[in-house]
Amino acid sequence: SIAVVGATGAVGRVFLDVLEERNFPVSDIRLCASERSVGKKLKCMGEEIAVEMATPQLFSEVDFVFISASGDVSRALAPVAAKQGAVVIDDSSAFRMEPNVPLVVPEVNGKDVEDHRGIISIPNCSTTPLVMVLKPLMEVNPVRRVIADTYQSVSGTGAAAVEELRVQSKQLTNDDSLTHHDLTPHAYPHPIAFNALPHIEPFLENGYTNEEMKMVNETRKILHAPDIAVSATCVRVPVMLSHSEALHIEFENPISPGEVREILADFPGVKVVDDPLANVYPMPIEAAGRDEYSSGASDRMYRIPTASQCGS
């Protein structure tokens, strides 16, 4: 028996699709959202289910609560649900760095869920593909440092940003007299159509953005590697779905691209897509809608680009 908080949002809707796609064994599902969505019906698991408000009573009637909403909503509801005996799977950043909350990517540190105290946190979307690649490689060859460059889709911001990219792209292509200066952005500080913004979440005093520091801190926690050196540059690009990353990894000992390919090919959840001479390499349009993280290893620069689908 499960409850989904944020069921009407972009991530919530994908979550409901995945439930049906995987035929998840649900005996009862409760869909929750803000007050303005109460009574709205969503199709899930072959039936239409009315949206309701999240309450302590509702939480006491389910086994798991999946929260895909804002950090404020998570901070308000997750402790309540846990107190009622439900196990909370939280998609926000609210609890990720709390020492008593496991931050889990199942293929990487699934055993950490055994230490949960009612709340289990999901890492940031740009962190997940990073640790999925690092984990199997670190088991073979210690990693000294990682430089990550991300190319993140607008879906990471939400449905409004996806629509803004669509609208701006149409405006610029349908009216030759328009320029970027004629557009009025809402989701971002600048137009996103035919543009790239090295600005995901607010900038901090150290010059990194909050998104970039999430990659640093969450990677260390998930991998139980507090000393690993990580530097990230996160860029929003005009792509609808799927984030991409270029990872530059320095190992303790020499390792060949061939070894990297073999190691990654054997790791669950990672698919090696790497034949550049035949124009085969990771791309967002191929990754969207898939579960695997696609990876490639370059002989020339020892890079491991990855592309992954991500909702938020």
Side-chain angles (χ1 to χ4, degrees):
S1 178
I2 68 173
V4 181
V5 178
T8 58
V11 178
R13 289 178 178 273
V14 172
F15 178 83
L16 298 182
D17 291 341
V18 172
L19 277 181
E20 193 161 356
E21 176 187 309
R22 296 185 177 181
N23 196 26
F24 191 81
V26 178
S27 61
D28 181 44
I29 183 167
R30 313 284 289 273
L31 304 182
C32 305
S34 62
E35 189 173 359
R36 67 177 180 273
S37 296
V38 170
K40 183 177 181 179
K41 290 188 176 181
L42 299 178
K43 190 173 181 181
C44 180
M45 307 294 282
E47 59 179 309
E48 288 194 340
I49 302 174
V51 174
E52 53 190 314
M53 288 289 291
T55 65
Q57 178 62 34
L58 183 151
F59 291 147
S60 71
E61 297 169 357
V62 299
D63 302 306
F64 294 92
V65 176
F66 294 86
I67 304 180
S68 293
S70 68
D72 289 340
V73 170
S74 292
R75 278 185 284 271
L77 297 182
V80 176
K83 187 176 181 180
Q84 293 298 320
V87 176
V88 178
I89 313 295
D90 184 54
D91 193 26
S92 78
S93 60
F95 303 100
R96 288 175 185 159
M97 298 312 298
E98 291 292 326
N100 61 345
V101 175
L103 180 61
V104 177
V105 175
E107 297 87 345
V108 175
N109 62 328
K111 289 186 178 181
D112 286 358
V113 300
E114 298 172 3
D115 298 324
H116 82 83
R117 301 181 186 179
I119 301 174
I120 299 169
S121 197
I122 297 172
N124 189 46
C125 48
S126 55
T127 302
T128 302
L130 172 57
V131 297
M132 288 278 285
V133 167
L134 288 181
K135 174 64 174 179
L137 297 174
M138 290 175 65
E139 291 180 346
V140 175
N141 194 338
V143 171
R144 287 181 174 175
R145 65 173 180 165
V146 183
I147 298 174
D149 305 304
T150 75
Y151 315 91
Q152 298 180 219
S153 67
V154 295
S155 61
T157 308
V162 173
E163 181 61 19
E164 185 159 310
L165 172 58
R166 184 178 288 111
V167 169
Q168 290 179 356
S169 298
K170 287 181 179 179
Q171 289 175 323
L172 291 174
T173 53
N174 293 337
D175 188 343
D176 291 339
S177 66
L178 284 181
T179 70
H180 282 85
H181 299 293
D182 299 313
L183 303 178
T184 302
H186 299 286
Y188 304 112
H190 304 282
I192 185 61
F194 311 110
N195 199 13
L197 306 177
H199 182 181
I200 302 179
E201 297 206 7
F203 277 93
L204 306 175
E205 290 185 1
N206 63 2
Y208 286 91
T209 63
N210 193 45
E211 180 86 355
E212 291 160 353
M213 290 310 301
K214 285 179 183 177
M215 293 188 71
V216 175
N217 297 323
E218 293 176 15
T219 296
R220 290 170 174 171
K221 180 175 180 178
I222 294 168
L223 296 176
H224 301 284
D227 297 324
I228 188 171
V230 180
S231 180
T233 299
C234 295
V235 181
R236 188 74 69 189
V237 293
V239 171
M240 292 292 185
L241 289 171
S242 292
H243 294 354
S244 301
E245 298 182 8
L247 306 180
H248 309 260
I249 306 173
E250 180 182 336
F251 295 91
E252 188 75 30
N253 304 304
I255 187 170
S256 71
E259 290 176 276
V260 170
R261 292 189 193 96
E262 290 180 8
I263 293 167
L264 293 179
D266 289 338
F267 193 68
V270 175
K271 180 180 180 180
V272 174
V273 180
D274 190 41
D275 188 3
L277 294 181
N279 299 325
V280 176
Y281 29 69
M283 293 185 297
I285 59 173
E286 298 296 335
R290 300 182 63 91
D291 290 332
E292 308 99 328
Y293 291 88
S294 55
S295 303
S298 166
D299 290 301
R300 183 171 58 86
M301 295 187 66
Y302 293 84
R303 293 179 302 169
I304 307 168
T306 69
S308 69
Q309 182 184 19
C310 180
S312 87

